[in-house]
Amino acid sequence: MVKRFEARQSAADVCVGGRSDMSLEGLRRTFREHVFYTQGRFPMGASRNDLYMALAYTVRDQLLHRWIRTVEQLGREDIKIVSYLSAEFLLGPHLENNLINLGLYEDVRRTAEEEGLDIQVLFDQEEEPGLGNGGLGRLAACYLDSLATLEIPAMGYGIRYEFGIFDQEIRDGWQVEHTDQWLRLGNPWEIARPEITYHVNFGGRTEPYEDEQGRYRVRWIPYRTVKGVAYDTPILGYRVNTCNLLRLWKAEAVESFEFEAFNVGDYYGAVDQKIYSENITKVLYPNDEPIQGKQLRLEQQYFFVSCSLQDMVRIYKLLGGDLSRFSSHFAIQLNDTHPAIGVAELMRLLVDENGMDWEPAWEVTCNTFGYTNHTLLPEALEKWPVDLFAGLFPRHMEIIYEINRRFLDEVRNRFPGDEDRVARMSLIDESGERYVRMAHLACVGSHAVNGVAELHTRLLKEEVLRDFYEMMPEKFNNKTNGVTPRRFVVLSNPGLSRLITGKIGETWVSRPEELRRLEKFVDDPAFREEWRRVKLENKKNLARLIRERTGIEVDPSSMFDIQVKRLHEYKRQHLNVLHIIALYNRIKQDPAYDVCPRTFIFGGKAAPGYFMAKRIIKLINSVADVVNHDSDVNGRLKVVFFPDFNVKNAKFIYPAADLSEQISTAGKEASGTGNMKFSMNGALTIGTLDGANVEIREEVGAENFFLFGLTAEDVTSLQKNGYQPMEYYRSNPELQAVIERISSGYFSNGDQELFSPLVDSLLFHDTFMLLADFGAYMDAQRQVEEAYRDQERWTRMSILNVARMGKFSSDRAIREYCKDIWKVEPVPVTLE
Ligand code: 6GP
């Protein structure tokens, strides 16, 4: 018997994928066909992965029709396309997200159930594509979701790393890295396009020549060539027909074997070449922020940027477009400076390969690019040794010198006699060893430069890019980050989503400003009761997962105090640890001390070469070992390090949080996006005035946010006046006792060496000013405790956080980019 879909949630559910049989029966049939014809299994012999793959293909079928219709639209000459260039896209699992966006979640869940399958088990089977490190890569993924949802024609361009971010295991308290073999069991979400390939050159030399019109030209005679092959992943918007493309490039050898070498008998030499080429897209560099001087990393950057720009030029020419109008068809956004070499590459493509003159080519280039900066950390500003750069890209080096020559002329014109300024602004750092400054190249070659939170943009203008701001203030603008409420609320927190939708309808999912309508229920005791019930349910789910992954039992009725993010000294996970030890000390001093029961949960990866970050992980686990087993504590405090924090695990973590730790040193965190994910799920924030915390506090209200600590200005002036961490240490006995606990070896079986690098760094340098903020942090934590003890008050605050977080939807951010930077309009896609 054919069962029709009962509830059509929106017009978008109708006739998905061009099927006329939008029935449970149709879905079931397609699913069975994929088990049989795609996976080659009888249902009885199908493995869990076969079943997952078959379901993924069933869902992908539903995307394809929209995808083709969208791509047809992209092929219209009068349409402007956003190209988001990013070395990282941290997408997370596709299956559940696509079901939600299609409006098919319930139907597919039921179909699976009728087939005797638990859909959660199939979700669990999916390997997430971890093609990013953290904030920057995840932001790119949120933006792809919003671009499609807002019906903006867009392409994401990036790298198809064979190994994404490593899997983290915790062994004896230490991080151990394992390669991420995400493609091992196949990837049903990508479509290989072996016919879309480009050649990318490296090394060699350049040579001047005269073209037919007698004009001076330069050609590049490369040393070696690699082939880029396109792999496309569909990115569907929420309840719309727009299905954009994420095009990732894989490196291959131009020929499988270097035939010449092969023929003279050098078999291994020939294979070497192939291996060398394929190396380029082998592995994601696992550093969150600074990566300096690695040739392969620079090759990766150029490789994907060159493929992407060649692809855009090809598409544009196919449409009969005139390259002098390229910027009216493409708006290219540089996600940090990783793709900034694109400025020189587009110039090369226009001038060398397409015969354009320099001036018009430069105008096209500047009008095409926009640049987003994502970090204020000086050590994270990319620069490449000139020798390395010129060796790999001799032609680009010349182009950059020419850009620089013209640019510095302008600087001298504007600021006559100010040679210091000229040296500061040059694209080449000549203060010691010579470097190419990628942020300067990006600023000069773009028409728009933005930071990712108001404070961050202000600090860019005042400090990091001050000279550029003074010379071209019109380029600078702010675009505060946002996150997608589809993945981070609807998918992650179905309980809360149902509760909200029950009160205000479901339009909030695409218009989260409407969450404000929840405010009027804040005094409704029954609603508050429900709100707490949902949170408790989420905490129980996380508690189960914690038990499975770590063996630690935690109490869901305790306060879940969570800090998940990359491990970095500026993010100050160790400040959180100091607070835990302080509470522990109070209990040890007086076992009857009335501590508010708390579960401290940490998660996040450390860059494999980051010594201090890895020690902080060890410290957290060592403190956990002691605290969790101390009979005086008696279970009132628990400390957990949740291993392998990633997008898949995040789903269970954000919704379970009571308290969100956003405690970076002011002026260091460009924006933060985890702060938004927590608050949207009803966690309250304890935080500094850093990044987007400032704006979150403004939105949710100061009374619903636990603020503490130095401001960015305080940090700067303290530094200027010679910060002495020892002074704070000497004047605070509680702090002394905390440090003493660590350095005595109490958490390390008497080993006083283990944590001495951490302790010494705090006492004698304390670059991130933990000691200066310790007292204020303890006070704010005291206020948290008080508030939490009054559950009615806490719930009220939690509801108001959710109700007022609408601003931080990535839809709002993308609307701003579209209007102010890209000048693009929605293009609705129809299916017929
Ligand atoms: C990060 C910033 O550290 C974080 O504050 C921000 O929220 C995120 O970008 C998205 O804008 N930066 C990076 O991950 C990075 O690699 C070069 O910057």
Side-chain angles (χ1 to χ4, degrees), residues 7 14 48 120 128 146 162-164 168 210 227 295 297 341 343 384 392 425 487 582 643 660 666 732:
V14 181
R48 188 183 291 178
Q120 294 300 333
E128 81 169 79
S146 285
E162 189 176 330
F163 302 111
Q168 179 194 56
E210 262 184 26
K227 187 170 75 178
Q295 171 165 336
R297 167 80 176 180
I341 195 173
V343 170
W384 294 101
L392 279 175
M425 295 185 80
R487 181 173 293 274
S660 153
N732 187 334

Side-chain angles (χ1 to χ4, degrees), residues 110 482 708 766 805:
R110 276 169 48 197
F708 76 96
D766 197 16
M805 281 298 286

